[in-house]
Amino acid sequence: MNLAQYCVKEGVCYVFLSLDMIMRQVNMDQEGRSMGTDPILGAIEQLLTNGIPVQFEKTEGDGKGALYVYLDQVLLKQLGPLLPLVEGLIPGDTAFEATFIGKTISVPVGPILENLPGALEATTEMQVGLQFKGAE
């Protein structure tokens, strides 16, 4: 469907979204294309124009590869104006499972998104990502 493309420059994978194809896909009208001065639309326009910098690290160990794909705190701060939009799209009871010290717990997504702006202000380094491990 050609909704996105990517390229790798200096160890960072940049994802470029195809605005025209996305607009067609969601059947938006001409008014929806205007980026105006709204901070949410401005943030979206910047990411669509410059690409989304997705960091990644590849590791090899025991003959199995692993891949860690993440967004860093610089991008997360730029995405701040989009948080209310994202929160509105995620059902209130959404959670993910995480395993800590052999126990699996359910972590609700809502409180994470609500507290993310404050956490970003108080931290010097934050990464939000996915860890992919090689097949066993």
Side-chain angles (χ1 to χ4, degrees):
M1 292 169 70
N2 296 321
L3 298 179
Q5 298 177 2
Y6 73 95
C7 72
V8 177
K9 291 191 285 189
E10 299 177 13
V12 177
C13 177
Y14 287 86
V15 178
F16 293 89
L17 302 177
S18 172
L19 183 57
D20 290 337
M21 293 303 289
I22 292 170
M23 293 293 193
R24 277 189 211 135
Q25 188 68 28
V26 295
N27 213 10
M28 293 183 109
D29 61 11
Q30 187 63 28
E31 182 180 353
R33 292 175 188 258
S34 172
M35 293 300 170
T37 58
D38 184 325
I40 291 174
L41 296 175
I44 292 171
E45 181 179 36
Q46 183 178 21
L47 293 171
L48 292 173
T49 302
N50 300 326
I52 302 167
V54 179
Q55 308 290 329
F56 67 95
E57 298 172 11
K58 296 187 327 185
T59 59
E60 295 292 328
D62 300 330
K64 300 174 191 164
L67 176 65
Y68 178 47
V69 180
Y70 62 95
L71 307 177
D72 64 14
Q73 77 278 2
V74 174
L75 177 62
L76 292 172
K77 286 181 181 180
Q78 291 174 346
L79 295 176
L82 299 176
L83 285 177
L85 176 67
V86 172
E87 285 181 67
L89 296 173
I90 298 175
D93 61 349
T94 301
F96 64 89
E97 291 186 354
T99 303
F100 296 103
I101 313 173
K103 287 190 171 188
T104 301
I105 60 171
S106 180
V107 180
V109 173
I112 293 172
L113 291 176
E114 289 169 16
N115 291 297
L116 188 57
L120 285 168
E121 289 299 319
T123 190
T124 57
E125 184 173 346
M126 179 183 285
Q127 299 174 351
V128 175
L130 299 171
Q131 177 80 40
F132 299 95
K133 295 185 178 181
E136 295 189 20

